[in-house]
Amino acid sequence: MRCVRTWLVLSPLAPMLGALFLGVLPSATASADDFRIQTDVYAAKSKIPLSQNTTLFRAGYVYDYLIHPQRATSVDRVAVFDKAHGRFIVLDPARKVKAEVKTDEVLLFASKQQEFVTAKSSNAFNKFAVDPEFETDFSQDGELKMTSPHMTYELKTMPANTPEAAAQYREFSDWYGRFNTMSNPGSTPPFARMAVNAELVKRGLVPTEVHLTVPTQSGVKAASLRSEHHVSWRLLPRDAERIEETANQLATFKLVDFDQFERSKLTKR
């Protein structure tokens, strides 16, 4: 199994089921907010995170730094979402390699996955996963609950600093969901979480806590995950240093095919 982020954004149930940047990245654009989200993901009631992510939004780019605390304390993978050029760039700091995946490829994979399940699968959970329908309840204290017989999301939320920030969070979460599904064959499609993201952006919110529950059903084991999101509407000095380090890695790391990037990762583990 490929070890990737389990940030309840996309593929939350994975266990179950070129010109690159050179030098310093461009300066901020007027339409993009700069902010950070620190995310810890837990299984059920565990107090030890399955994964920890620092996600930095800066100048229209998104930098995601993943650590698996149960396995290592150093960054396991960096993913850079470059919307302007339609691509993800992933980096392995330990092996000093990088790979590029076009968003067109990611979108095509998600579309084919959706079409295949719709046409070929008779499993109710699979059908729901590619075309989810929830009952939605939102309380005045900012709690959002989206329920179905197949999975339930319960979220605590906070207002985004600006409508643009809410849209940026939704956009990255959606794209990263598709990308994570593509890099984890057989994992749960991202469309349920994308439905949650749509509800959040409609209300100008971002999550501070997410609980995902999947009951036992045909072909699916029960699962319970929770994530805690610590949001700051400004970047810290160490964030700028980390982004500068990533820019240097983008300029110097060896470019490899994405399949080779993933195969080598498995071999290393």
Side-chain angles (χ1 to χ4, degrees):
M1 181 183 70
R2 289 173 179 168
C3 298
V4 299
R5 174 182 190 171
T6 50
W7 175 29
L8 307 191
V9 170
L10 40 264
S11 306
L13 304 179
M16 174 186 75
L17 329 163
L20 298 176
F21 297 113
L22 296 175
V24 179
L25 295 176
S27 58
T29 60
S31 61
D33 287 11
D34 292 356
F35 58 101
R36 76 191 318 271
I37 301 177
Q38 181 75 39
T39 303
D40 300 324
V41 178
Y42 302 85
K45 296 181 180 180
S46 173
K47 296 183 179 181
I48 301 175
L50 292 172
S51 65
Q52 295 177 307
N53 295 78
T54 301
T55 309
L56 308 177
F57 295 76
R58 184 188 184 193
Y61 295 90
V62 188
Y63 306 82
D64 186 77
Y65 301 87
L66 168 67
I67 294 176
H68 292 97
Q70 296 176 351
R71 188 173 65 231
T73 57
S74 59
V75 172
D76 183 63
R77 190 184 75 173
V78 181
V80 180
F81 177 49
D82 175 12
K83 175 189 173 183
H85 296 91
R87 60 187 174 176
F88 281 93
I89 305 171
V90 287
L91 304 95
D92 184 335
R95 293 181 296 138
K96 294 182 171 53
V97 295
K98 63 191 176 187
E100 178 178 350
V101 180
K102 293 292 187 181
T103 53
D104 284 349
E105 299 174 53
V106 175
L107 195 61
L108 179 62
F109 181 91
S111 177
K112 286 184 176 296
Q113 182 185 44
Q114 198 168 31
E115 291 173 3
F116 178 83
V117 172
T118 300
K120 301 293 185 181
S121 179
S122 59
N123 181 276
F125 179 84
N126 292 341
K127 293 280 192 182
F128 170 84
V130 299
D131 188 20
E133 291 186 8
F134 290 101
E135 290 187 9
T136 302
D137 180 68
F138 181 68
S139 64
Q140 294 302 312
D141 60 0
E143 293 192 4
L144 174 65
K145 187 172 184 179
M146 299 182 66
T147 60
S148 81
H150 304 289
M151 66 174 63
T152 295
Y153 280 95
E154 296 177 88
L155 298 88
K156 295 180 180 179
T157 69
M158 64 181 289
N161 199 40
T162 65
E164 291 76 17
Q168 287 171 248
Y169 172 82
R170 185 261 182 101
E171 179 179 61
F172 173 69
S173 181
D174 284 359
W175 275 111
Y176 198 87
R178 298 184 186 102
F179 172 70
N180 222 22
T181 302
M182 178 179 173
S183 62
N184 286 270
S187 62
T188 305
F191 305 107
R193 181 52 198 253
M194 289 170 66
V196 175
N197 293 339
E199 287 293 326
L200 290 169
V201 76
K202 183 170 68 176
R203 294 176 168 85
L205 303 171
V206 294
T208 58
E209 191 171 320
V210 180
H211 291 255
L212 171 62
T213 305
V214 177
T216 300
Q217 51 201 293
S218 178
V220 179
K221 293 182 180 179
S224 177
L225 293 171
R226 77 180 192 278
S227 62
E228 298 175 359
H229 304 259
H230 307 280
V231 184
S232 174
W233 299 116
R234 64 181 181 86
L235 297 180
L236 305 177
R238 67 175 180 269
D239 296 331
E241 294 173 1
R242 175 173 269 186
I243 290 171
E244 183 177 359
E245 179 183 19
T246 299
N248 291 332
Q249 293 171 342
L250 286 164
T252 59
F253 280 8
K254 178 183 178 181
L255 177 63
V256 298
D257 179 84
F258 183 65
D259 286 341
Q260 180 184 346
F261 182 95
E262 292 294 284
R263 285 197 304 271
S264 298
K265 197 84 169 180
L266 289 171
T267 300
K268 185 179 73 170
R269 304 206 188 290

